[in-house]
């Protein structure tokens, strides 16, 4: 018996919770749906007796993505819907070629969180039928219908050793380049074909100044608990460790979702994270801390024209505000995140039902697409998954061959990072299920 929908995810933290919500809604409507990671082992059943009628991808930019994400996972398929997880871009990215879809990716259904993204894709050659506005599924968890889904401030503070009686301030960091060495920045620049050295310097200067503000402020305000939600790339930051040691009311925490901390926080500040949209959807406000200007080619367009806090005096004044106005204009943020009265996951499920029931409205694997099966990746994934199941790191197994060890270790790292144990997946699903009605 064939599968109705197969959902492919790339980044667990970014996507898995939303994919589960969508899966549960499809199952509630009587369909069969499964979730798999892009680097899961390729299985014969998805090419044959369990071949999905609709493939739901995490990204879909060009013919190679169609080949890698679709053809190499299920074979030929004309019903391809992209959840399109990268929609908050800089002005340079919005104007560029890559993020506006190339080749037959323009024939896939590219879902859009808001009208501005749909209009941009249409202006770059896509047809309106392939750019439906669905809203952003991850924002549904912040809707009133999901009241009670997140932990209370008291519960969250108790779990992390914080005083719930104190004001809980959340800082959402994006200083991913600040902890990189010059050599690492150079290597990344060479790989991407873009010089990130200037942006890395902006990261370092902005982070250092922001931490100085926190240091001075927390010294004078012991009644505040400041939670620094670090960027994933900030796992090795001596500056954060030093400040946490110096100020007992400064806490570097990565566990629990950003949305969870947003819901629990009494006040919020941010640098350039797209989580500012989640702050808005949660019905809260925040301050944008900008000690130094950010190069426009890296700054998300949603921040254009926003109100910034640029020095310590402004910061202390901002922290004294109980209900600050939102720093981004309503029409801008709602242009990128459509505020429909209907939850996005239901709108997305409506779209998927339409794609499932009707003949394909386009041919992504038609003229211009040349399929090829990646046998190297096929065998490499099987090998890496066996090593992962045995918890044997390739760098130790293939110590005698550096190139092979580095290649396998890189894939192993991706697999390890994206892995969701069955027990964890079941627990997440059980937590979401009562809200799917």
């Amino acid at each position: 018996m064939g599968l109705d929908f197969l959902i492919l995810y790339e980044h667990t933290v970014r996507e898995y919770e939303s994919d589960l919500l969508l899966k549960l809604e499809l199952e509630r409507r009587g369909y069969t749906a499964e979730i798999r990671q892009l680097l899961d082992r390729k299985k014969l059943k998805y090419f044959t007796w369990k071949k999905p009628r609709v493939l739901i991808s995490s990204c879909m930019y060009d013919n190679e993505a169609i080949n890698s994400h679709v053809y190499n996972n299920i074979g030929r398929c004309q019903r391809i819907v992209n959840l399109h997880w990268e929609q908050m871009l800089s002005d340079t990215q919005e104007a560029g070629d890559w993020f506006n879809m190339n080749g037959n990716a323009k024939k896939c259904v590219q879902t859009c969180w808001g009208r501005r993204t749909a209009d941009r894709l249409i202006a770059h050659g896509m047809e309106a039928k392939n750019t439906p506005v669905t809203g952003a599924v991850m924002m549904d968890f912040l809707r009133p219908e999901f009241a009670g889904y997140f932990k209370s401030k008291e519960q969250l503070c108790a779990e992390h050793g914080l005083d719930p009686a104190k004001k809980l301030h959340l800082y959402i960091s994006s200083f991913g380049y600040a902890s990189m060495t010059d050599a690492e920045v150079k290597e990344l620049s060479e790989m991407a074909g873009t010089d990130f050295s200037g942006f890395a310097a902006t990261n370092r200067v902005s982070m250092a100044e922001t931490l100085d503000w926190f240091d001075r402020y927390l010294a004078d305000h012991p009644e505040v608990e400041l939670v620094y939600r670090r960027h994933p790339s900030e796992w090795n930051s001596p500056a954060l460790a030093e400040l946490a040691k110096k100020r007992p009311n400064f806490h570097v925490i990565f566990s629990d979702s950003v949305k969870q901390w947003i819901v629990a926080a009494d006040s919020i500040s941010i640098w350039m994270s797209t989580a500012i949209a989640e702050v808005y959807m949660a019905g809260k406000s925040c301050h944008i801390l900008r000690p130094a200007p950010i190069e426009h080619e890296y700054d998300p367009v949603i921040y254009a024209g926003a109100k910034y806090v640029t020095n310590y005096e402004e910061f202390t004044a901002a922290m004294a505000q109980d209900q600050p106005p939102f720093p981004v204009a309503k029409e801008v943020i709602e242009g990128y995140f459509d505020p429909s009265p209907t939850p996005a996951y239901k709108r997305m499920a409506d779209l998927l039902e339409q794609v499932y029931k009707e003949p394909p409205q386009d041919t992504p694997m038609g003229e211009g697409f040349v399929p090829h099966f990646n046998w190297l990746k096929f065998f490499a994934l099987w090998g890496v998954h066996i090593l992962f199941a045995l918890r044997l790191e390739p760098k130790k197994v293939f110590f005698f061959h550096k190139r092979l060890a580095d290649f396998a270790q890189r894939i192993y790292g991706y697999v390890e990072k994206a892995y969701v144990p069955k027990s964890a997946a079941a627990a997440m699903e059980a937590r979401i299920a009562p809200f799917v009605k």
Side-chain angles (χ1 to χ4, degrees), residues 19 29 112 142 159 249 299 308 321 331 353 387 422:
D19 288 344
R29 298 184 184 203
C112 302
L142 299 167
E159 291 179 1
N249 50 342
D299 201 9
Y308 305 138
Q321 290 181 282
E331 59 270 20
E353 271 196 302
L387 292 177
K422 289 184 179 180

Side-chain angles (χ1 to χ4, degrees), residues 13-14 85 88-89 113 138-139 142 170-174 229-231 257-263 268-288 290 300 302-303 326-328 333 337:
V13 174
R14 182 180 70 179
W85 282 98
M88 282 295 92
L89 311 173
W113 297 338
M138 71 278 196
M139 298 299 179
L142 299 167
L170 171 67
Y171 180 70
I172 304 172
S173 172
S174 301
R229 173 72 184 196
R230 67 171 179 81
H231 186 274
S257 69
V258 172
K259 287 193 284 288
Q260 169 64 79
W261 286 104
I262 288 171
V263 169
I268 303 166
S269 58
I270 203 163
W271 184 47
M272 61 170 285
S273 172
T274 55
I276 192 169
E278 293 167 293
V279 176
Y280 181 84
M281 292 299 179
K284 295 195 170 186
S285 189
C286 64
H287 303 289
I288 304 171
R290 294 283 177 94
I302 201 169
Y303 283 91
F326 201 79
V328 175
I333 201 159
F337 293 90

Side-chain angles (χ1 to χ4, degrees), residues 18-262:
S18 299
D19 288 344
L20 274 176
L21 176 58
L22 188 55
K23 171 181 175 289
L24 285 167
E25 174 63 16
L26 291 170
E27 290 174 341
R28 188 190 67 79
R29 298 184 184 203
Y31 297 100
T32 55
E34 291 186 15
I35 300 174
R36 284 178 63 77
Q37 211 276 332
L38 282 171
L39 292 179
D40 280 347
R41 292 175 290 114
K42 312 306 176 187
K43 293 188 176 181
L44 179 63
K45 64 180 180 180
Y46 294 113
F47 291 84
T48 52
W49 71 88
K50 208 171 185 180
K51 185 181 178 72
R53 184 173 176 86
V54 180
L55 189 287
I56 305 170
S57 68
S58 60
C59 67
M60 194 61 60
Y61 291 117
D62 57 10
N63 284 12
E64 183 51 40
I66 297 175
N67 192 78
S68 178
H69 297 183
V70 185
Y71 185 76
N72 277 259
N73 282 289
I74 66 169
R76 286 192 171 274
C77 177
Q78 303 292 6
R79 292 180 171 87
I80 303 171
V81 179
N82 180 20
L83 293 182
H84 196 178
W85 282 98
E86 295 171 320
Q87 296 188 36
M88 282 295 92
L89 311 173
S90 68
D91 57 359
T92 303
Q93 290 171 322
E94 282 202 337
D97 184 51
W98 175 253
F99 289 100
N100 289 299
M101 315 307 167
N102 298 276
N104 284 25
K106 291 184 180 294
K107 298 180 180 180
C108 298
V109 179
Q110 304 282 358
T111 61
C112 302
W113 297 338
R115 188 70 253 163
R116 288 195 176 202
T117 298
D119 290 343
R120 169 173 59 83
L121 294 180
I122 292 170
H124 284 81
M126 286 199 66
E127 295 184 58
K129 66 179 181 180
N130 288 329
T131 60
V133 175
T134 60
V137 175
M138 71 278 196
M139 298 299 179
D140 286 339
F141 294 97
L142 299 167
R143 295 177 64 95
E145 297 94 320
F146 282 78
Y149 178 75
F150 294 105
K151 304 168 190 173
S152 65
K153 174 188 174 182
E154 290 71 23
Q155 183 181 355
L156 191 64
C157 287
E159 291 179 1
H160 292 280
L162 307 176
D163 185 348
K166 293 184 176 182
K167 182 177 181 179
L168 178 60
H169 183 79
L170 171 67
Y171 180 70
I172 304 172
S173 172
S174 301
F175 297 125
Y177 290 79
S179 301
M180 288 185 173
T181 64
D182 289 339
E184 289 172 329
V185 173
K186 182 180 179 182
E187 181 182 357
L188 181 62
S189 298
E190 291 173 351
M191 288 174 56
T194 301
D195 184 5
F196 291 117
S197 58
F199 185 51
T202 300
N203 270 248
R204 292 166 187 152
V205 169
S206 298
M207 181 179 184
E209 188 67 20
T210 300
L211 293 184
D212 180 64
W213 292 359
F214 292 163
D215 183 17
R216 295 165 63 186
Y217 184 81
L218 292 174
D220 295 332
H221 295 273
E223 77 283 1
V224 172
E225 297 271 32
L226 195 154
V227 170
Y228 184 103
R229 173 72 184 196
R230 67 171 179 81
H231 186 274
S233 299
E234 291 178 73
W235 62 272
N236 183 26
S237 175
L240 293 179
E242 288 173 11
L243 186 55
K245 184 177 180 180
K246 182 179 181 181
R247 301 295 175 203
N249 50 342
F250 178 79
H251 313 273
V252 182
I253 301 176
F254 190 63
S255 58
D256 286 291
S257 69
V258 172
K259 287 193 284 288
Q260 169 64 79
W261 286 104
I262 288 171

Side-chain angles (χ1 to χ4, degrees), residues 331-400:
E331 59 270 20
V332 173
I333 201 159
E334 292 188 356
Y336 285 103
F337 293 90
D338 189 62
S340 170
T342 303
Y345 79 93
K346 289 186 178 292
R347 299 164 70 187
M348 184 70 75
D350 289 342
L351 170 68
L352 292 173
E353 271 196 302
Q354 180 184 348
V355 172
Y356 179 92
K357 292 177 178 179
E358 297 179 0
Q361 60 184 11
D362 230 322
T363 54
M365 289 193 180
E367 183 181 356
F369 176 73
V370 180
H372 60 278
F373 193 81
N374 191 328
W375 287 102
L376 174 61
K377 192 173 184 179
F378 174 82
F379 288 114
L381 285 176
W382 269 92
V384 168
H385 275 277
I386 290 173
L387 292 177
F388 180 69
L390 298 172
R391 296 300 187 268
L392 296 173
E393 293 193 47
K395 63 183 179 183
K396 296 179 181 178
V397 176
F398 302 117
F399 64 91
F400 54 87

Side-chain angles (χ1 to χ4, degrees), residues 3-20:
L3 181 67
D4 295 328
F5 298 96
L6 179 62
I7 304 172
L8 293 179
Y9 75 95
E10 183 176 4
H11 300 293
T12 308
V13 174
R14 182 180 70 179
E15 303 163 38
Y16 199 78
E17 185 181 46
S18 299
D19 288 344
L20 274 176

